[in-house]
Each structure stands twice: as structure tokens, then as C-alpha cells.
Amino acid sequence: MSNNATGAWLLQVGNSMREEFADTRRVLTFAAYLDLASSQPTRHIRDAARYVLDCLDYFGTYEVTTPRGSETRYKLFDAPWDATGEERLVGQEGVAAAVYRLIASSVRQGNVNNVILLHGPNGSAKSTLIRTIGRAMEHYATLPDGAMYRFSWVFPKTKLGKSSIGFGGAAELESLESFALASDDEVDARVGDELRDHPLLLLPTAQRRTFMAEALERVGLTGTHLVPDTLEHGALSPKNRAIFDALLASYGGDYLRVLRHVRVERFYIDERFRQGYVTVEPQMSVDASERQVTADRSLRRAAGEPANLGAV
């Protein structure tokens, strides 16, 4: 490939990536996310159990004939995203249906407090069943129906280029409705959220419930779509709560100015990087061990070995 051909090809790839980035709406302001959640509440008002159930429903079902009679097979286990068919689960329709019923039970309860235990001899497809669901969620998360979002905090630089850590931005940035789309040279820091709190948790509890109820009512789901407990009664994680409270105090209670620091981002499931889905095989289990969990200097001056400060 010549230099001119390579350049043209890279330009084509770049344009394609830019269009894909815009189409998938990977970065949003908080206000834009609320518009999205309001127009598509079933995609954004759900917890982990609802997400897995929606993933199973998305691929659909069909009837198969087995020695036990006619059974429902979930197309997800045919791995339609895998052209090689290597990730396909053969048989086990009854087990898959039982797993579906247990997940649906958690959805009806509104919280995820059940553990599903698969037991059986080696080669009975326990790991394959779980792995296929995981691969399906990885694929589902890339589709519009499977879109998930998290948020981070954006802290702009001051006018003189010094760090503001969000407590008073540059004069040229003060007119922005949100710092979420600010360029890198205008941003001093972006603080991520390891626990991936749901963006709707940034709304006060009473207003959040009203927002969700009205959004569901607009699409005719009043009383039929149970709002998960995590969104009905949940709250921000301690780290996000501390940042939120500090910003609110700095702005004298101006909630809208706090929200300018919120950057909502598309979140994808990826087993390789342990995002949203992880498997731990028996041989990967870690024996209990002791390690220091504090940086207190007094411990280093203590005679002998430190006390048992924590175990993993």
C-alpha cells in the first residue's frame, strides 16, 4: 500500500470512528443524559438483574423438540454474534429456563439478593452456560438497547492555568452549561468512579422518583415496570457523595453549578478487563493473607511484626 493510499485509508478509518463515536453517544452532559433517560426509560431505569433479563429477551426464543418433549430455547445460547459457533451452548434448555426464572424473580422483587448455584458433574456445561451469558452481555452492551452509562467529575483549570479542582473555574469556562465537553487543555483533572454509580443517583431522592415515574408513564409502563430498589432508595457511593457535598458547599447550594462538573460516559462490559462481568475459576482462588491497610507511621516504629490489620 503506497503512502497516499495509506493516508486515504487512515482518513476513512478516522471518519468512520468519528461517526461511530457520535452515534453511540459515548460522552454526554448530565442534562443530555436526562433527556436520553426520559425518552428511553426502560434502557436506563434498570439494575443488574433487569439488564441480564433484558439481554436474554433481546435475542428471543424458539421451541425445540427434546426427549422430554417440546422446550423453549433462548437464542442467546446459540451465540448469534459468533460466526464460528464455538461459544454456542448445546442443549441444557431446562437449566437455562430455570436460570431465566430465577433472574426474573429478582426483577420482580426489585433487588438483587439471590445467588444462583449451578451444580453437576464435570462436562455438564455449567461454565459454558455462564460464559455464554457473559459473552452475550458484552455484545449486548455495544448495541443501542444495551447502552449503559456511568459518570465522572470534570474539574476545569483557572484563568491563570492553575489548578482549581473544580472550586471556581476559568472565566472563559463560566459561561458553559457543562464542563463535560471541555477540551483537555481546559481541564485540570477528571476523577473517575470505580464503583460506577448510576447517573440518576445524582438526582435528589424525591425528584428522582418523580422523574422515573413520569418517564415510565409516558411510555405506558405505569405499574408494569418495577423500579429497582437501587434507584428507588439508593444513594451515591462515599467518594462521589464527598465530591458532590464539597462542590455544593463551594457553590453555596447551587445544585445546577455542581452538575456542570458531571461527565456522563458510555460503559461497556468486558471480561478481559473485568468490567461489569468477571469469572473466578477454582484454581484462581486466593488463600487468606495479611497485609497492612494503613499508612500510620507509628506502626513502623512498633517493635516486632505489626498486628493483624486485615485479611484478604
Side-chain angles (χ1 to χ4, degrees):
M1 187 179 290
S2 66
N3 290 339
N4 289 338
T6 300
W9 180 77
L10 283 177
L11 180 61
Q12 182 180 0
V13 172
N15 292 334
S16 176
M17 290 292 292
R18 190 181 302 110
E19 292 174 1
E20 179 187 357
F21 186 89
D23 291 342
T24 54
R25 308 190 71 174
R26 293 191 185 183
V27 178
L28 299 171
T29 66
F30 186 70
Y33 173 76
L34 283 186
D35 287 339
L36 189 62
S38 178
S39 62
Q40 303 168 346
T42 55
R43 294 183 184 177
H44 300 279
I45 303 177
R46 55 184 174 182
D47 59 4
R50 169 70 72 173
Y51 190 85
V52 178
L53 196 71
D54 287 349
C55 180
L56 284 159
D57 289 337
Y58 174 81
F59 291 98
T61 62
Y62 62 96
E63 295 299 313
V64 295
T65 302
T66 71
R68 294 177 298 276
S70 179
E71 292 187 325
T72 298
R73 178 170 177 84
Y74 293 88
K75 292 182 181 179
L76 176 152
F77 296 106
D78 291 334
W81 60 88
D82 178 28
T84 66
E86 294 179 357
E87 298 181 357
R88 182 175 183 270
L89 172 67
V90 178
Q92 301 295 356
E93 285 79 16
V95 176
V99 169
Y100 181 93
R101 288 193 298 270
L102 290 170
I103 297 172
S105 175
S106 292
V107 171
R108 288 192 298 271
Q109 294 172 16
N111 54 55
V112 185
N113 58 2
N114 297 322
V115 175
I116 300 176
L117 175 64
L118 301 179
H119 63 91
N122 291 340
S124 55
K126 301 183 298 298
S127 297
T128 302
L129 185 146
I130 297 301
R131 184 171 60 250
T132 305
I133 293 177
R135 291 285 189 268
M137 289 194 297
E138 287 186 359
H139 176 70
Y140 183 59
T142 66
L143 305 175
D145 284 358
M148 291 187 293
Y149 288 87
R150 56 184 292 186
F151 69 88
S152 60
W153 300 94
V154 178
F155 299 123
K157 293 181 179 179
T158 63
K159 186 175 182 180
L160 297 178
K162 298 180 180 179
S163 173
S164 67
I165 312 301
F167 304 108
E172 59 269 21
L173 291 177
E174 285 298 321
S175 61
L176 295 180
E177 293 183 359
S178 173
F179 302 134
L181 305 180
S183 60
D184 287 342
D185 59 350
E186 296 173 319
V187 173
D188 181 70
R190 291 189 178 95
V191 179
D193 171 30
E194 298 80 4
L195 298 181
R196 302 180 181 90
D197 280 349
H198 197 293
L200 290 181
L201 294 178
L202 288 163
L203 293 173
T205 304
Q207 286 80 0
R208 186 196 319 151
R209 292 172 181 169
T210 300
F211 173 84
M212 293 188 295
E214 292 179 349
L216 292 170
E217 184 177 3
R218 278 193 293 271
V219 295
L221 291 177
T222 304
T224 61
H225 184 99
L226 185 64
V227 175
D229 186 70
T230 52
L231 293 179
E232 182 80 16
H233 308 287
L236 292 171
S237 61
K239 174 182 174 180
N240 285 324
R241 184 81 250 177
I243 295 174
F244 180 91
D245 289 343
L247 287 171
L248 192 65
S250 174
Y251 290 132
D254 193 334
Y255 174 69
L256 296 182
R257 295 185 72 185
V258 173
L259 294 180
R260 292 192 306 171
H261 294 272
V262 175
R263 170 186 165 112
V264 181
E265 305 158 350
R266 185 81 179 263
F267 168 62
Y268 295 93
I269 293 176
D270 193 322
E271 182 189 16
R272 179 182 179 185
F273 297 105
R274 299 192 173 190
Q275 283 196 148
Y277 158 61
V278 62
T279 58
V280 180
E281 300 291 343
Q283 61 269 27
M284 294 173 60
S285 60
V286 181
D287 293 334
S289 62
E290 297 178 359
R291 64 183 176 87
Q292 184 172 326
V293 293
T294 176
D296 189 348
R297 294 183 179 180
S298 63
L299 290 174
R300 293 201 294 268
R301 294 196 295 268
E305 294 296 323
N308 180 6
L309 299 174
V312 250

